[in-house]
Amino acid sequence: MTTLDIGLWEEDVDADCIRGDAVMARMFGLFDAEVTEGISRAHLMSIFHPEDVVQDPELSRSVREEGGLFVWEHRILPEPGIVRWVLARGHYERDTKGRMLGRGIVIDVTDSRTDGQLDGPAHFLAAFETSGAVLERIADRAIEACELIRTLDAASSGRMRLLIDALLKELGQQIAASLQDESPAPEQPQGQKVH
């Protein structure tokens, strides 16, 4: 069994600060320290494929402003010449002080693109006002479990880490599948060069 590329992130919208774990940092070609400390949304967006930045949909912005759940599949350029597809799933809500906070997961889905293509526009799959869907509620609890498991000693929690990562990946794929009518395509090789 191999480690899956599933990263955790959180965003303080008002402070323009996005933090993530080591998996997210590696996925986006960033240093662990800078992601732990926090980067601006503009810095993160600079890693997105230019066509997908232009197409950052209004629904995506409204979720960050008003709260709710979202799933967004888009391309990133973690290093020159490399294009990867990621599926971001997150939840935004105001805290007791009125600050908009978000958190979620990002999954590298390059090897399982539903349309079999590495080129093409991003897909904002959905925006939700509540977390009523069963898969969404499971994903929320799985993210909490993942955060706790990652605080444990790696040697004693290795199997749990693999299992929770597998659960998060499966949840991300099922949520994405439930939001689109496309059937999965054959696997693509990891990381494709831009031509």
Side-chain angles (χ1 to χ4, degrees):
M1 198 181 268
T2 58
T3 302
L4 300 172
D5 284 332
I6 301 171
L8 301 176
W9 61 267
E10 61 185 27
E11 179 177 7
D12 182 332
V13 175
D14 300 325
D16 188 24
C17 183
I18 299 171
R19 291 183 177 88
D21 64 3
V23 176
M24 181 195 160
R26 185 177 64 247
M27 193 182 303
F28 282 78
L30 299 166
F31 294 107
D32 290 359
E34 69 182 318
V35 176
T36 300
E37 185 177 315
I39 60 173
S40 69
R41 181 157 198 81
H43 186 174
L44 183 66
M45 296 294 280
S46 73
I47 301 166
F48 286 25
H49 192 288
E51 291 174 11
D52 296 349
V53 171
V54 171
Q55 295 183 13
D56 185 20
E58 180 62 33
L59 286 174
S60 171
R61 286 189 294 278
S62 76
V63 168
R64 287 191 311 274
E65 293 169 3
E66 300 170 19
L69 294 164
F70 77 93
V71 178
W72 189 23
E73 186 178 53
H74 59 278
R75 295 168 291 178
I76 59 172
L77 306 171
E79 59 185 84
I82 299 295
V83 175
R84 308 225 25 100
W85 278 92
V86 294
L87 180 73
R89 183 259 179 219
H91 179 232
Y92 285 85
E93 64 184 356
R94 295 204 179 275
D95 68 7
T96 56
K97 297 179 182 176
R99 296 171 63 99
M100 183 61 73
L101 304 174
R103 72 178 198 163
I105 59 173
V106 61
I107 305 170
D108 187 326
V109 294
T110 305
D111 64 348
S112 60
R113 287 281 296 132
T114 55
D115 62 7
Q117 301 295 318
L118 293 176
D119 295 325
H123 303 284
F124 191 78
L125 302 175
F128 309 92
E129 291 184 7
T130 66
S131 58
V134 173
L135 288 175
E136 291 294 339
R137 292 194 337 251
I138 294 170
D140 283 338
R141 299 312 174 269
I143 290 168
E144 290 173 12
C146 184
E147 289 171 343
L148 289 172
I149 289 169
R150 289 183 179 180
T151 66
L152 299 174
D153 175 79
S156 63
S157 65
R159 183 156 169 74
M160 283 192 295
R161 289 172 187 233
L162 290 172
L163 292 171
I164 196 70
D165 283 354
L167 174 61
L168 285 168
K169 183 172 185 178
E170 181 63 25
L171 283 166
Q173 290 174 340
Q174 285 197 26
I175 290 168
S178 73
L179 299 171
Q180 56 188 343
D181 296 325
E182 300 172 12
S183 58
E187 271 193 24
Q188 297 293 313
Q190 293 267 342
Q192 297 292 315
K193 287 278 185 190
V194 178
H195 299 292

